[in-house]
């Protein structure tokens, strides 16, 4: 059992992944977390799973885009059909067309026999077009037609093939910017983005961190092989909460596995975590508006914490030389000193957690 702040434990109650959750009629399929950001993603996923509309899932790498796509498929009327995943960024563009639509024998050098593509395999099911932002403009035109008309031809073929599929796509790129730069077709974007789902990065839904850490530990223990649920010390918990998780949930999942294997003691301490968990904390001193709303921090508290963050950041940047910190903040040195005193900021002060 992880030591978690009381508020986190209380909010955890309805978080159990797998099985029906409070989102009536929607099986979470191993999606853990209690943040309001995740709840609204699950609510949209629940609604969209009842339909056949195209869904575009956006979010940084490792935020759970594929997991959500799978949950939508599993909860849809297509659940007995296939869910076919294709990573558009991982396949060279000259091969991608044949991967998507198949090819006829002799269509190109090396095409010794005809082969069906992922669109045909996905018939009666869902096709998940991952990293859609990496698709070449030529292929985007063909994809648009296939999605619009639910029909296409194999490479080198003349027969038109019809399929019954639901399209879910995902990207960690900013497609609006790609459209501006003429790298992504606007018409395809609107076709794919009928229902947008944006998954927040983990640093903007910090209340999910401990819930996920516990979930991953328990999942490892269920696998057997000698994993045991361990406890995090208060300092280690603070470090997990302060860290900004550039690799998001995948990074947290890997970390939990690593400490589960490498730390033999039942208590995981802060020095058991990688060094950058401690040294990188100054990157977290500035807070985002969405994290304030996600964590339901009130206005006054958020403003206080923001002031505290700014002051701590400036002090850390200037090795606690107050005159220089005041310069950096463009404020009077005496005002800074007063604030430091009033806010009880000391050299080892914690950065406020959002
Ligand atoms: N809410 C969650 N609960 C449990 N596990 C999660 C959750 N979100 C993500 N994961 C796990 O984190 C890992 C990354 O998730 P996933 O592959 O779905 O992310 P992604 O957004 O598709 O990443 P990428 O952009 O790198 O492809 C997976 O192992 C997944 O099972
Ligand atoms: Mg993915």
């Amino acid at each position: 059992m992880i030591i978690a702040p009381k508020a986190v434990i209380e909010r955890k109650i309805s978080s159990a992944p797998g099985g029906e959750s409070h989102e009536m009629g929607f099986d979470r399929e191993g999606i853990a977390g209690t943040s309001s950001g995740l709840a609204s993603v699950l609510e949209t996923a629940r609604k969209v799973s009842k339909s056949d509309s195209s869904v575009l899932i956006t979010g940084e790498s490792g935020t759970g885009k594929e997991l959500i796509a799978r949950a939508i498929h599993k909860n849809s009327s297509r659940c007995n059909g296939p869910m076919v995943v294709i990573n558009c960024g991982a396949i060279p563009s000259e091969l991608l067309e044949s991967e998507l639509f198949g090819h006829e024998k002799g269509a190109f050098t090396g095409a010794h026999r005809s082969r069906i593509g992922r669109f045909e395999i996905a018939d009666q099911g869902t096709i998940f077009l991952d990293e859609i932002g990496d698709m070449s403009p030529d292929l985007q035109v063909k994809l648009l037609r296939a999605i619009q008309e639910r029909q296409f031809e194999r490479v080198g073929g003349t027969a038109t093939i019809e399929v019954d599929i639901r399209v879910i796509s995902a990207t960690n790129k900013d497609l609006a910017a790609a459209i501006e730069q003429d790298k992504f077709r606007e018409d395809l974007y609107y076709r794919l983005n009928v229902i947008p789902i944006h998954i927040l990065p983990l640093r903007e839904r910090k209340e999910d961190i401990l819930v996920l850490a516990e979930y991953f530990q328990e999942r490892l223990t269920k696998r057997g092989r000698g994993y045991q649920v361990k406890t995090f010390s208060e300092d280690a918990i603070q470090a997990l909460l302060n860290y900004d998780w550039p690799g998001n949930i995948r990074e947290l999942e890997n970390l939990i596995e690593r400490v589960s294997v490498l730390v033999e003691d039942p208590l995981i301490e802060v020095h058991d975590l990688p060094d950058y968990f401690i040294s990188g904390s100054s990157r977290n001193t500035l807070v985002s508006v969405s994290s304030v709303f996600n964590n339901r921090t009130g206005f006054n508290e958020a403003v206080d914490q923001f002031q505290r963050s700014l002051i701590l950041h400036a002090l850390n940047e200037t090795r606690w030389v107050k005159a220089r910190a005041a310069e950096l903040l463009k404020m009077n040195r005496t005002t800074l000193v007063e604030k430091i005193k009033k806010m009880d900021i000391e050299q080892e002060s914690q950065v406020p957690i959002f």
Side-chain angles (χ1 to χ4, degrees):
M1 187 58 192
I2 293 171
I3 306 168
K6 193 164 171 281
V8 175
I9 293 171
E10 279 165 5
R11 266 177 274 149
K12 252 192 65 182
I13 292 166
S14 62
S15 72
E20 302 260 320
S21 67
H22 60 284
E23 295 90 9
M24 283 291 288
F26 189 80
D27 190 329
R28 291 176 68 136
E29 300 285 344
I31 302 167
T34 50
S35 62
S36 52
L38 182 67
S40 81
V41 164
L42 290 172
E43 179 56 8
T44 311
R46 180 188 69 77
K47 289 183 193 155
V48 84
S49 64
K50 310 277 169 273
S51 77
D52 249 353
S53 304
S54 297
V55 183
L56 176 65
I57 307 175
T58 52
E60 288 180 12
S61 181
T63 46
K65 297 186 290 297
E66 184 164 341
L67 202 61
I68 294 291
R70 288 188 184 281
I72 293 172
H73 172 73
K74 283 271 181 65
N75 283 281
S76 75
S77 59
R78 299 175 171 272
C79 61
N80 294 321
M83 155 113 180
V84 176
V85 178
I86 181 155
N87 187 330
C88 305
I91 301 173
S93 58
E94 59 280 12
L95 296 181
L96 188 56
E97 181 178 359
S98 140
E99 274 299 322
L100 287 172
F101 306 124
H103 63 252
E104 297 296 353
K105 185 177 171 185
F108 47 83
T109 326
H112 301 303
R113 32 192 189 110
S114 63
R115 188 169 162 234
I116 68 167
R118 309 282 176 108
F119 265 70
E120 270 178 85
I121 300 172
D123 194 24
Q124 308 296 319
T126 304
I127 190 157
F128 179 52
L129 303 168
D130 204 0
E131 303 199 14
I132 188 78
D134 294 340
M135 186 176 276
S136 72
D138 282 355
L139 201 49
Q140 288 176 29
V141 182
K142 293 179 180 159
L143 178 66
L144 177 64
R145 176 179 166 240
I147 293 176
Q148 219 154 247
E149 293 162 23
R150 299 291 196 260
Q151 49 178 237
F152 55 89
E153 286 87 39
R154 291 183 188 157
V155 178
T158 48
T160 299
I161 297 164
E162 286 195 17
V163 283
D164 173 16
I165 50 171
R166 131 79 70 89
V167 180
I168 304 181
S169 39
T171 183
N172 55 21
K173 299 237 159 82
D174 180 354
L175 286 188
I179 292 169
E180 290 270 297
Q181 296 158 11
D182 286 332
K183 288 188 183 139
F184 203 83
R185 292 183 65 99
E186 197 169 4
D187 45 9
L188 177 60
Y189 174 73
Y190 288 118
R191 196 42 82 169
L192 297 172
N193 194 28
V194 179
I195 312 282
I197 294 186
H198 179 66
I199 311 183
L200 288 173
L202 193 51
R203 67 182 167 280
E204 289 183 22
R205 47 181 168 118
K206 293 212 162 192
E207 59 188 294
D208 284 344
I209 294 174
L210 299 182
V211 178
L212 283 161
E214 183 157 358
Y215 168 67
F216 291 134
Q217 280 213 66
E218 279 167 6
R219 204 175 60 181
L220 281 171
T221 343
K222 281 194 197 126
R223 277 198 220 153
R225 299 187 215 287
Y227 292 112
Q228 276 174 357
V229 175
K230 292 176 178 143
T231 305
F232 284 87
S233 72
E234 281 293 346
D235 283 354
I237 287 178
Q238 288 307 321
L240 293 182
L241 293 172
N242 282 347
Y243 182 56
D244 67 357
W245 301 103
N248 291 295
I249 298 166
R250 184 178 292 112
E251 186 180 5
L252 175 60
E253 192 176 5
N254 292 342
L255 176 82
I256 296 298
E257 181 160 353
R258 192 184 323 155
V259 292
S260 301
V261 173
L262 297 181
V263 182
E264 290 178 327
D265 201 84
L267 184 71
I268 298 166
E269 309 237 35
V270 73
H271 61 251
D272 294 319
L273 302 175
D275 288 347
Y276 50 81
F277 271 79
I278 299 105
S279 55
S281 65
S282 70
R283 280 186 295 155
N284 303 306
T285 51
L286 297 181
V287 296
S288 73
V289 170
S290 53
S291 66
V292 171
F293 287 103
N294 285 331
N295 295 329
R296 300 196 185 87
T297 314
F299 177 83
N300 289 335
E301 194 188 337
V303 171
D304 278 356
Q305 290 184 340
F306 189 57
Q307 286 203 35
R308 194 181 166 83
S309 290
L310 282 175
I311 292 171
L312 261 171
H313 186 77
L315 288 167
N316 288 336
E317 289 289 299
T318 56
R319 294 174 190 272
W320 281 74
V321 179
K322 291 178 190 119
R324 284 190 47 223
E327 240 170 66
L328 208 63
L329 291 163
K330 291 201 170 53
M331 88 197 291
N332 198 307
R333 188 184 170 280
T334 40
T335 318
L336 176 65
V337 172
E338 269 166 28
K339 280 194 183 286
I340 292 173
K341 211 167 153 200
K342 201 169 147 214
M343 293 182 165
D344 219 7
I345 297 175
E346 289 172 356
Q347 196 130 3
E348 64 279 10
S349 289
Q350 285 284 349
V351 168
I353 295 159
F354 277 77

